[in-house]
Amino acid sequence: MSPETMTLFSPRLAARLDALVQKYPVKRSALIPMLLYAQDEVGYLSDAVISEVAERIGITELDVRNVATYYSMLRFKPAGKFNIQVCTNISCMLRGGYEVYERFQEELGIGHKGVTADGVFSLEEVECIGACCWAPAIQVNYDFHDELKPELVRGILDGYRFQAEGKAPHA
Amino acid sequence: MADVTFTVDGKILTAPAGTLLIDACRKAGIEIPAFCYYPGLSLQAACRMCVVRQEKVPKLQTACTTTVAEGQVFITESAEIAQARKATIQLLLGNHPLDCPVCDAGGECELQDMTFKYGAGESLYSEAKQHREEQQWSPAVFYDRPRCILCYRCIRMCGEGMDVWALGVQNRGVNSVIAPNGGDQLDCEQCGMCIDVCPVGALTSGSYRYKTRPWEMNHVSTVCTHCADGCKVTLGVRQVNGGAEIVRADNRDKSGINGDFLCAKGRFGFDFVENPERLTTPLIRNAQGKLEPATWERALRFAGEKLKEIRDSKGGTAIGVVGSNRTTNEENYLLQKFARTVLHTNNIDHERSTDYPAFALALAGHAGKTAGLGDIAAAPAILLVGGNPTEEHPLLAWTLRTSVRLNRARLYVANSKAIKLDRQARLTQELPPDGYKDLAAFLDLGEADFSKAVLAEESLVVVFGQECRGPAVADLVAWGLKRPNVRFAYLGDQANSRGAADMGLFPDLLPGYVPVTEPGGFAEYPGLPATPGKSLPAQFAAAATGELSAMLVVGANPVLGLGVSAEALKNTFVIVQDLFLTETAALADVVFTAVSLYEKSGTVTNTFGDVQMVKKAADRAGVKSDFEILVRLADAMGADIKTLVPFGKGGVLADLGQSRGAQAGEADRHSVWLAANNLEPRLSPFDPLAVLDEIERLVPGYKLDRINLLSGNPAHTELNLTPGFVPISALDGSDLAVPTHDGLFTSGTLGRYSPALNELEQHQTHEVAAPAGD
Ligand code: SF4
Ligand code: SF4
Ligand code: SF4
Ligand code: FES
Ligand code: FES
């Protein structure tokens, strides 16, 4: 992409994406990491993100959507500021993952793929996140919390609420 | 590659090493079921229906991806394989609705056939079916997700076959759907190829869906009436009150020069036939100046008497004739013969779009230098000069894409504009808009990479568009004739533009581009006028000054094309043969209601010189073919029909006033020719084949391979004038050629009467959001 072209992304991300496209023998190999980084910065894959990524790689928007819709980690609607992914796969299930998941639902008043009204939290039930040894586990954005019990849920949420208040004003 | 020998179900087979097992088996008559495999497209191996047992290999193998090698042993049907296929079908049916009784594909559905064969009618899965509403993506394409078996044929056809890439697959597992590029809309060429290759009823066509069942139709194989490429098309026809209507067009039998290809016009643009605006009874202008319905007898008698009176009082030069780019060769031939021998005029022309006479002249004396579409498909290298095949010659574009993809043909594009086929080109050369005439010199210079590469080709087909006319055609052809193994094709506009030119719808040229001044074999025409007549614009100019007292316009709309006013025709007696009340018909004194190409028999010639049979599919009351109308009109004028159409015994007793030699009156040359060619005389004056016989006998280049032709294949014609035979002055009509530039959804005046094409045009120009860039 030529430097004078408008971009949605921060200069840092734009530079990172520019480097990524050069990295593989075939440009489209860069598609998935590009989408992931773009989602991290923008929050979700908006139409504008899809169109810019397509243009950077030189494929159609349809191509981008074909790939992006396959992966449940890529989303097309904004998530909460903190996206809580609760594992209920086999190890976690055996060690009480469903109870933890239910407690999150009660505390937040939302279900699978829901977003709280203030936009601070979103909740997802996910498959194994690779933390089976410390099951049950959850992932909040890129942070892990493990060996959980339902009683610990409120404390975790309070911690993030505090962060949200301290660093970002309420919507 | 070298042949290898292998065993399938105990039979010893031989095929080139590397052939796909599924293809090798099909060739040998062993059927292997396949949902995702489609010949000519990339391999997908998504459906697992084609599994076979290969000796010494632990698991079942997919026949669509296994390549054959020496000594392999395969089993394609066994209890184990049947069980595997049945399990695959059970999984597919897990979410498949049981709506065969209403599904368009019912009766010709590959899933239905396989379920019958392997018996998975009862599903063992208890999961609830996931229903999704049917979606309409465009006026032509509907998608019904529950029926889709995710074989990816549509995606590959659109991408690889059409180079449009408008379809994709989204989501995962049971949630997967086929998705169009415009969100909920399809922004594409609307060819319907995706519908055609869908093995089930998941993609259905706007024009055919829910109309009928496959077994309720008759299927008639004929030729498309739109562009000049001449696709074979199978029309599905259903009996209705007062005739037969066309409900579907496809080419699933892959016959002819186009295989399974049809563009939007061929596939959906047949509905003009049923347009309620179709004229169904002849019209005569009454004393109040209004066109009113009349019987055929009255209209024919009136028109015939009037023409006779004008001819007898003012001579044939007071009559003008305009022919059509869509009527058959036999009709065009008959029209010019009628004009020349009954009306005694050379005032005959057609709406020229292409300078075929210049092409014929440039090739004079060089046999075997024109390329049929089959030659283009087989050519190792093609130089495309001008033109925009994707829009104006969809079949040619398809052929070139396929040949580049599958045969590694080398395509060179020289054009003043960027065209979509640049994407398939090995090299492109931009020309200035007026640069076509200098191309030959540019190539000979051999300086640019483009010229070097083209000059290095040992065998080349040069396909050129209508940008090349007159001297540009002559130069380009002369350039190619200097080199060995160069053949040519010239891109014209409509279904039988080439036929109109070949059949002599010219004021100065007889059929086969024979000058009227030196008529050769046509000297047997009784009363052939020797001086060239008036061109189309000259005819209308003469009508305006009162010099022309009558005009006969067949299947053409020159009033629109030339902007002729009613005033200019007020003193001319105008007869029009057409399907609709066109701008020209609206000014006529008598209108004869004609039929379309889909309602008649005969032959047409595509722009590559391939002659193909046209067969009558639809039928309706109150209309007649142009052929029959002309014969009846001649009869109403008191002409000798046997001289016009050689039928019955003792037809052409041409008495040319000579008593000796070949021109002497005693020989019936037509029956001599028939006997020499083992043909019987035709029995009816309305049989187009009678005229086809005469065309073969008299028209240079039209020596047709009858067996091929009658069995539905193209028979190539030659443009082989004798060198030095053509006076150049007679041919300089290059400025009379006006290209129509019909696109994917337009087709001259006829296209205006196709609701399907109008809707598609509307969809593509207004309803699809402008693409963000390509
Ligand atoms: S109609 Fe033709 S161009 Fe459109 S999606 Fe189907 S195959 Fe592609
Ligand atoms: S729509 Fe038809 S062709 Fe396309 S994937 Fe589904 S079943 Fe196959
Ligand atoms: S490519 Fe031409 S001949 Fe073939 S279907 Fe389309 S309009 Fe008809
Ligand atoms: S099962 Fe929960 S982290 Fe592996
Ligand atoms: S045809 Fe071989 S896997 Fe589908």
Side-chain angles (χ1 to χ4, degrees), chain A residues 87 89 91-92 128-132:
Chain A
C87 174
N89 213 307
S91 308
C92 293
C128 181
I129 52 176
C132 315

Side-chain angles (χ1 to χ4, degrees), chain B residues 494-566:
Chain B
Q494 288 170 352
N496 207 23
S497 295
R498 170 73 183 267
D502 286 0
M503 291 304 119
L505 300 187
F506 290 110
D508 49 356
L509 298 174
L510 288 154
Y513 308 90
V514 173
V516 291
T517 46
E518 290 175 52
F522 295 99
E524 71 172 49
Y525 275 15
L528 172 67
T531 43
K534 290 185 170 51
S535 69
L536 180 64
Q539 286 185 32
F540 280 99
T545 61
E547 203 187 318
L548 216 57
S549 303
M551 285 190 85
L552 169 62
V553 182
V554 178
N557 192 9
V559 163
L560 179 71
L562 296 173
V564 179
S565 67

Side-chain angles (χ1 to χ4, degrees), chain B residues 141 154 157-158 162 164-167 186 188-195:
Chain B
V141 187
C154 51
M157 177 52 81
C158 184
M162 296 303 298
V164 173
W165 309 94
L167 298 176
L186 196 45
C188 70
E189 295 177 10
Q190 308 291 350
C191 62
M193 287 302 290
C194 48
I195 307 171

